[in-house]
Amino acid sequence: MGNLPPLSLYIHIPWCVQKCPYCDFNSHALKGDVPHMEYVGHLLADLDNDIALTSGREVSTIFIGGGTPSLLSSEAMQALLDGVRQRVPVAAGAEITMEANPGTVEADRFSGYQRAGVNRISIGVQSFSQQKLERLGRIHGPEEAKRAANLAAGLGLRSFNLDLMHGLPDQSLDEALDDLRQAIALAPPHLSWYQLTIEPNTLFASRPPVLPDDDDLWDIFEQGHQLLTAAGYQQYETSAYAKPGLQCQHNLNYWRFGDYLGIGCGSHGKLTQPDGEIIRSVKTRHPRGFMRGDYLDKRYTVTDNEKPFEYFMNRFRLWEPCPREEFVRYTGLGEQHIRPALDKAIAAGYLNETENTWQVSEKGRLFLNSLLEIFLEQE
């Protein structure tokens, strides 16, 4: 299969100062110092093991997530990104994003990250209410969040993002909208605005807080969406808003069923091979095992029956139309493979079809899980 999807690189930094009660990401409370250079060495060795699967493609975006990547020293970040560039071709002007917590955002350190090549920062604000931040187990306060946003705005980066949550414990409509107004006032080019959900194996799952009911959640979303739209933000994904032209290119590649290398503890990868095989990999979750050199947890091939659901589970998160030819190109399957499911989704009013595209309808967005289940039935 020629014309392989674009390639991104995800790098996972697993440590946090403390674990938040809602977090189900692969993060580990820090005990002692971060092993900066030692971990970078393991990340690059992990990358070396996967390079053969990239078919010589250049990396178009890099995302450094966590955990708290801003716990990594700027010297270690320089060594990491230099090491990446020595091993794989990185596109000129590639978007290089790093996640950061407001409490770990320091001006000197961020200048160092910028020199290393980071040109986009994603700041985990979550709320501007001190009470709500404490309830979420966050270690920063509202003023630190504003300071971090203003610092990011002044660095001359390509872009920056604020992560904001709604539907928080005992949160009223007014409180949720006040958070959003404060975020908008900081003028981030990109806003990730997502609803708190209780995930298994978290502290909140064992001791669930009282969350707003469905009617309140709908009011928060509807009025919040109006606020964001009026401020010039465009919703382009289920929980992502951006000023025109400033969408997160790395996340767009995920949702468009692009390929990505994943290196570091618990990271995931998806790599399409020239013959059309799609290989998924999962790396060892715990830093202890990973830093013994046991990088790979599992690697497997996505079957033809699984490809339609995997493709649309990603593609239908986006508001943009889905090019029909991309389904064929990225899965290696003909449309006849999914025609019954498409017809069922169109008949249900979830999907609109044109000569060149599929577009999720407003009803389809409201009932996205029901739409995706139609394609799951094809397996």
Side-chain angles (χ1 to χ4, degrees):
M1 184 172 85
N3 208 355
L4 294 171
L7 179 66
S8 293
L9 171 64
Y10 175 77
I11 303 171
H12 192 76
I13 312 297
W15 295 283
C16 283
V17 174
Q18 68 181 35
K19 183 86 171 175
C20 297
Y22 60 86
C23 178
D24 70 334
F25 294 145
N26 185 32
S27 61
H28 301 263
L30 191 60
K31 294 169 184 171
D33 296 328
V34 175
H36 300 276
M37 290 301 185
E38 184 185 358
Y39 188 63
V40 166
H42 284 291
L43 286 170
L44 295 174
D46 186 15
L47 176 58
D48 285 333
N49 291 345
D50 282 357
I51 286 173
L53 297 172
T54 66
S55 307
R57 282 173 288 171
E58 73 174 13
V59 169
S60 57
T61 67
I62 298 173
F63 195 102
I64 305 157
T68 306
S70 48
L71 290 174
L72 204 64
S73 70
S74 52
E75 294 80 10
M77 188 66 68
Q78 183 78 58
L80 171 60
L81 290 175
D82 284 350
V84 167
R85 294 184 195 101
Q86 288 162 9
R87 287 162 171 80
V88 292
V90 176
E95 177 193 87
I96 302 178
T97 301
M98 188 184 81
E99 289 183 335
N101 282 346
T104 58
V105 173
E106 298 296 336
D108 291 346
R109 183 178 280 191
F110 264 83
S111 296
Y113 294 145
Q114 198 173 9
R115 283 193 298 275
V118 172
N119 54 29
R120 185 176 180 275
I121 296 172
S122 179
I123 302 169
V125 170
Q126 315 313 356
S127 176
F128 291 97
S129 158
Q130 182 66 45
Q131 179 193 24
K132 294 291 187 274
L133 287 169
E134 289 172 6
R135 189 73 179 86
L136 292 171
R138 306 296 289 176
I139 59 171
H140 70 271
E143 293 312 309
E144 284 176 299
K146 292 172 185 175
R147 178 179 165 274
N150 288 325
L151 172 63
L155 282 172
L157 297 163
R158 168 197 293 232
S159 181
F160 71 95
N161 169 63
L162 299 184
D163 264 350
L164 199 68
M165 299 170 81
H166 63 273
L168 304 180
D170 301 309
Q171 187 178 47
S172 68
L173 171 63
D174 286 344
E175 287 174 328
L177 296 181
D178 184 57
D179 266 352
L180 202 47
R181 288 189 189 96
Q182 291 193 64
I184 290 168
L186 294 165
H190 190 285
L191 255 169
S192 296
W193 188 55
Y194 53 97
Q195 182 186 324
L196 171 66
T197 54
I198 306 298
E199 302 294 344
N201 305 313
T202 62
L203 192 59
F204 274 177
S206 60
R207 282 178 275 181
V210 177
L211 301 182
D213 64 27
D214 287 347
D215 288 343
D216 289 339
L217 288 170
W218 178 251
D219 288 342
I220 289 170
F221 170 76
E222 196 171 41
Q223 293 188 40
H225 179 79
Q226 290 170 5
L227 271 180
L228 286 160
T229 303
Y233 291 91
Q234 297 172 348
Q235 186 178 21
Y236 70 96
E237 186 262 327
T238 303
S239 55
Y241 292 76
K243 293 292 179 73
L246 290 165
Q247 299 96 331
C248 176
Q249 297 304 306
H250 185 87
N251 286 348
L252 275 178
N253 192 42
Y254 284 154
W255 307 136
R256 288 171 177 163
F257 208 56
D259 280 356
Y260 48 96
L261 273 163
I263 62 171
C265 300
S267 62
H268 290 237
K270 168 192 171 279
L271 293 164
T272 307
Q273 301 305 292
D275 64 358
E277 181 187 15
I278 296 176
I279 297 172
R280 286 201 176 274
S281 60
V282 181
K283 300 300 171 62
T284 300
R285 282 181 62 86
H286 202 283
R288 211 167 29 240
F290 187 85
M291 293 178 72
R292 282 198 305 264
D294 301 328
Y295 306 135
L296 185 65
D297 179 24
K298 57 184 172 183
R299 184 176 283 160
Y300 60 94
T301 296
V302 179
T303 67
D304 282 352
N305 283 343
E306 292 167 331
K307 286 177 182 177
F309 177 72
E310 288 212 5
Y311 179 84
F312 289 118
M313 180 178 65
N314 288 283
R315 209 56 177 76
F316 286 165
R317 284 186 65 108
L318 291 175
W319 264 219
E320 68 183 20
C322 169
R324 289 169 66 167
E325 60 87 18
E326 268 188 16
F327 172 79
V328 177
R329 183 152 52 99
Y330 287 1
T331 67
L333 302 173
E335 261 190 41
Q336 73 279 1
H337 199 92
I338 53 166
R339 195 70 249 172
L342 288 169
D343 290 342
K344 187 173 179 181
I346 292 165
Y350 295 150
L351 204 60
N352 298 316
E353 183 177 68
T354 70
E355 184 181 350
N356 298 313
T357 66
W358 298 302
Q359 173 83 64
V360 180
S361 67
E362 194 167 335
K363 182 181 178 184
R365 290 175 192 168
L366 289 173
F367 298 98
L368 187 57
N369 287 343
S370 299
L371 167 57
L372 292 173
E373 280 168 11
I374 294 172
F375 292 91
L376 191 57
E377 291 165 9
Q378 296 291 290
E379 292 192 14

